[in-house]
Coordinates of all heavy atoms in Angstrom, one line a residue:
Chain A
D222 N 98.5 122.4 233.0 CA 98.1 122.7 231.6 C 99.3 123.4 231.0 O 99.7 123.1 229.8 CB 96.9 123.5 231.5 CG 95.6 122.7 231.5 OD1 95.8 121.4 231.5 OD2 94.5 123.3 231.5
M223 N 99.7 124.4 231.7 CA 100.8 125.3 231.1 C 102.1 124.5 230.9 O 102.7 124.7 229.9 CB 101.0 126.5 232.0 CG 100.0 127.5 231.9 SD 100.4 129.0 232.8 CE 99.3 130.1 232.0
H224 N 102.4 123.7 231.9 CA 103.6 122.9 231.8 C 103.5 122.0 230.5 O 104.5 121.9 229.8 CB 103.8 122.0 233.0 CG 104.6 122.6 234.1 ND1 105.9 122.9 233.9 CD2 104.3 123.0 235.3 CE1 106.4 123.5 235.0 NE2 105.5 123.6 235.9
R225 N 102.3 121.5 230.3 CA 102.1 120.6 229.1 C 102.3 121.5 227.8 O 103.1 121.1 226.9 CB 100.7 120.0 229.1 CG 100.7 118.6 229.6 CD 99.3 117.9 229.4 NE 98.3 118.6 230.1 CZ 97.9 118.3 231.4 NH1 98.5 117.4 232.0 NH2 96.9 119.0 232.0
S226 N 101.7 122.7 227.8 CA 101.9 123.5 226.6 C 103.3 123.9 226.3 O 103.8 123.9 225.2 CB 101.1 124.8 226.7 OG 99.9 124.7 227.4
L227 N 104.1 124.1 227.4 CA 105.5 124.5 227.3 C 106.3 123.4 226.6 O 107.2 123.8 225.8 CB 106.1 124.8 228.7 CG 105.7 126.0 229.4 CD1 106.6 126.3 230.6 CD2 105.7 127.3 228.4
Q228 N 105.9 122.2 226.8 CA 106.7 121.1 226.1 C 106.7 121.2 224.6 O 107.6 120.7 224.0 CB 106.1 119.7 226.6 CG 106.3 119.4 228.0 CD 105.5 118.2 228.4 OE1 104.9 117.5 227.5 NE2 105.4 117.9 229.7
F229 N 105.6 121.8 224.1 CA 105.5 121.8 222.6 C 106.2 123.0 222.0 O 106.3 123.2 220.8 CB 104.0 121.8 222.2 CG 103.3 120.6 222.7 CD1 102.4 120.6 223.8 CD2 103.5 119.4 222.0 CE1 101.8 119.4 224.2 CE2 102.9 118.2 222.5 CZ 102.0 118.2 223.5
L230 N 106.7 123.9 222.9 CA 107.4 125.1 222.4 C 108.9 124.8 222.1 O 109.5 124.0 222.8 CB 107.3 126.2 223.3 CG 105.8 126.7 223.6 CD1 105.8 127.8 224.6 CD2 105.1 127.1 222.3
P231 N 109.4 125.4 221.1 CA 110.8 125.2 220.8 C 111.7 125.8 221.9 O 111.2 126.8 222.6 CB 111.0 126.0 219.5 CG 109.9 127.0 219.4 CD 108.7 126.3 220.1
S232 N 112.8 125.3 222.2 CA 113.6 125.8 223.3 C 114.2 127.2 222.9 O 114.2 127.6 221.8 CB 114.7 124.8 223.6 OG 115.5 124.6 222.5
K233 N 114.5 127.9 223.9 CA 115.0 129.3 223.7 C 116.4 129.4 223.3 O 117.3 128.6 223.8 CB 114.7 130.1 225.0 CG 113.3 130.1 225.5 CD 112.9 131.4 226.2 CE 112.7 132.5 225.2 NZ 112.0 133.6 225.8
D234 N 116.7 130.4 222.5 CA 118.1 130.6 222.0 C 119.1 130.9 223.2 O 120.3 130.6 223.1 CB 118.2 131.8 221.0 CG 117.5 131.4 219.7 OD1 117.3 130.2 219.5 OD2 117.2 132.4 219.0
S235 N 118.5 131.5 224.2 CA 119.4 131.9 225.4 C 119.8 130.7 226.1 O 120.7 130.8 227.0 CB 118.6 132.8 226.3 OG 117.4 132.1 226.7
G236 N 119.2 129.5 225.9 CA 119.6 128.3 226.7 C 118.8 128.3 228.0 O 118.9 127.3 228.8
W237 N 117.9 129.3 228.3 CA 117.1 129.3 229.5 C 115.9 128.4 229.3 O 115.3 128.4 228.2 CB 116.7 130.8 229.7 CG 115.7 131.0 230.8 CD1 114.4 131.3 230.7 CD2 116.0 131.1 232.2 NE1 113.8 131.5 231.9 CE2 114.8 131.4 232.9 CE3 117.2 130.9 233.0 CZ2 114.7 131.5 234.3 CZ3 117.1 131.0 234.3 CH2 115.9 131.3 235.0
K238 N 115.5 127.7 230.4 CA 114.3 126.9 230.3 C 113.2 127.7 230.9 O 113.3 128.2 232.0 CB 114.5 125.6 231.1 CG 114.8 124.4 230.2 CD 114.6 123.1 231.0 CE 113.2 122.5 230.8 NZ 112.6 121.8 231.8
R239 N 112.1 127.8 230.2 CA 110.9 128.6 230.7 C 110.4 128.1 232.0 O 110.4 126.9 232.2 CB 109.8 128.6 229.7 CG 110.1 129.2 228.4 CD 108.9 129.0 227.4 NE 109.2 129.5 226.1 CZ 109.8 128.7 225.1 NH1 110.1 127.5 225.4 NH2 110.1 129.2 223.9
K240 N 110.1 129.0 232.9 CA 109.6 128.6 234.3 C 108.2 129.1 234.5 O 107.8 130.1 234.0 CB 110.5 129.3 235.3 CG 112.0 129.0 235.2 CD 112.5 127.7 235.7 CE 114.0 127.6 235.7 NZ 114.6 127.6 234.4
I241 N 107.5 128.3 235.3 CA 106.1 128.8 235.7 C 106.1 129.0 237.2 O 106.5 128.1 238.0 CB 105.1 127.7 235.3 CG1 105.1 127.4 233.8 CG2 103.7 128.2 235.7 CD1 104.2 126.3 233.4
L242 N 105.8 130.2 237.6 CA 105.7 130.5 239.0 C 104.3 130.9 239.3 O 103.5 131.2 238.4 CB 106.7 131.7 239.4 CG 108.2 131.5 239.1 CD1 108.9 132.7 239.4 CD2 108.7 130.3 239.9
K243 N 103.9 131.0 240.6 CA 102.6 131.4 240.9 C 102.7 132.3 242.2 O 103.6 132.3 242.9 CB 101.6 130.3 241.2 CG 102.1 129.3 242.2 CD 101.1 128.1 242.4 CE 101.6 127.3 243.5 NZ 100.8 126.2 243.8
G244 N 101.6 133.1 242.3 CA 101.6 134.1 243.5 C 100.5 135.1 243.2 O 99.6 134.9 242.5
S245 N 100.7 136.2 243.9 CA 99.7 137.3 243.8 C 100.4 138.7 244.0 O 101.0 138.9 245.0 CB 98.7 137.1 244.9 OG 97.9 138.3 245.1
G246 N 100.2 139.5 243.0 CA 100.7 140.9 243.1 C 100.0 141.6 244.2 O 100.6 142.3 245.0
F247 N 98.7 141.4 244.3 CA 97.9 142.0 245.3 C 98.3 141.6 246.7 O 98.5 142.4 247.6 CB 96.4 141.7 245.1 CG 95.5 142.4 246.1 CD1 95.3 143.8 246.0 CD2 94.9 141.7 247.1 CE1 94.4 144.4 246.9 CE2 94.1 142.4 248.0 CZ 93.8 143.7 247.9
A248 N 98.4 140.3 246.9 CA 98.7 139.8 248.3 C 100.2 139.7 248.5 O 100.7 139.1 249.6 CB 98.1 138.4 248.5
N249 N 101.0 140.2 247.5 CA 102.5 140.1 247.7 C 103.1 138.7 247.9 O 103.9 138.5 248.7 CB 102.9 141.0 248.9 CG 103.8 142.1 248.5 OD1 104.7 141.8 247.7 ND2 103.5 143.3 248.9
L250 N 102.6 137.8 247.1 CA 103.0 136.4 247.2 C 103.8 136.0 246.0 O 103.4 136.3 244.9 CB 101.8 135.5 247.3 CG 100.9 135.6 248.5 CD1 99.6 134.7 248.3 CD2 101.7 135.1 249.8
G251 N 105.0 135.5 246.2 CA 105.8 134.9 245.1 C 106.5 136.0 244.3 O 107.2 135.7 243.3
I252 N 106.5 137.2 244.8 CA 107.2 138.3 244.1 C 108.7 138.2 244.1 O 109.4 138.3 243.1 CB 106.8 139.7 244.7 CG1 105.3 139.9 244.7 CG2 107.5 140.8 244.1 CD1 104.7 140.1 243.3
D253 N 109.2 137.8 245.3 CA 110.6 137.6 245.4 C 111.2 136.5 244.5 O 112.3 136.6 244.0 CB 111.0 137.4 246.9 CG 110.1 136.3 247.5 OD1 109.0 136.0 246.9 OD2 110.4 135.8 248.6
E254 N 110.3 135.4 244.3 CA 110.8 134.3 243.5 C 111.0 134.8 242.0 O 111.9 134.3 241.3 CB 109.8 133.2 243.5 CG 109.9 132.3 244.7 CD 108.8 131.2 244.6 OE1 109.0 130.2 243.8 OE2 107.9 131.3 245.4
V255 N 110.1 135.7 241.6 CA 110.2 136.2 240.2 C 111.6 136.9 240.1 O 112.3 136.7 239.1 CB 109.1 137.2 239.9 CG1 109.3 137.9 238.6 CG2 107.7 136.5 239.9
W256 N 111.9 137.7 241.1 CA 113.2 138.4 241.0 C 114.4 137.4 241.1 O 115.4 137.6 240.3 CB 113.3 139.4 242.1 CG 114.5 140.3 242.1 CD1 115.5 140.4 243.1 CD2 115.0 141.1 241.1 NE1 116.5 141.2 242.8 CE2 116.2 141.7 241.5 CE3 114.5 141.4 239.8 CZ2 116.9 142.6 240.7 CZ3 115.2 142.3 239.0 CH2 116.4 142.9 239.4
D257 N 114.3 136.4 241.9 CA 115.3 135.3 242.0 C 115.5 134.7 240.6 O 116.7 134.6 240.1 CB 114.9 134.2 242.9 CG 115.0 134.6 244.4 OD1 115.7 135.7 244.6 OD2 114.5 133.9 245.2
K258 N 114.4 134.4 239.9 CA 114.5 133.8 238.6 C 115.2 134.8 237.6 O 116.0 134.4 236.7 CB 113.2 133.4 238.0 CG 112.6 132.2 238.8 CD 113.4 130.9 238.5 CE 113.1 129.8 239.5 NZ 114.1 128.9 239.8
I259 N 114.8 136.0 237.7 CA 115.4 137.0 236.8 C 116.9 137.1 237.0 O 117.7 137.1 236.0 CB 114.7 138.4 237.0 CG1 113.3 138.4 236.5 CG2 115.5 139.5 236.3 CD1 112.5 139.6 236.7
L260 N 117.3 137.1 238.3 CA 118.8 137.2 238.5 C 119.5 135.9 238.0 O 120.6 136.0 237.4 CB 119.0 137.3 240.1 CG 118.6 138.6 240.7 CD1 118.8 138.7 242.2 CD2 119.2 139.8 240.0
E261 N 118.8 134.8 238.2 CA 119.3 133.5 237.7 C 119.5 133.5 236.2 O 120.5 133.1 235.6 CB 118.3 132.4 238.1 CG 118.9 131.0 238.3 CD 117.8 130.1 238.7 OE1 117.3 130.1 239.9 OE2 117.3 129.3 237.8

Side-chain angles (χ1 to χ4, degrees):
Chain A
D222 271 357
M223 283 189 164
H224 267 298
R225 262 190 297 272
S226 325
L227 288 191
Q228 291 171 8
F229 299 104
L230 297 180
S232 54
K233 304 213 74 168
D234 292 341
S235 56
W237 175 254
K238 258 194 98 211
R239 295 177 188 88
K240 307 277 187 299
I241 304 175
L242 300 176
K243 58 182 182 177
S245 162
F247 182 75
N249 238 316
L250 295 169
I252 302 292
D253 48 345
E254 276 179 77
V255 174
W256 183 238
D257 285 348
K258 288 296 166 205
I259 291 176
L260 293 180
E261 212 179 282

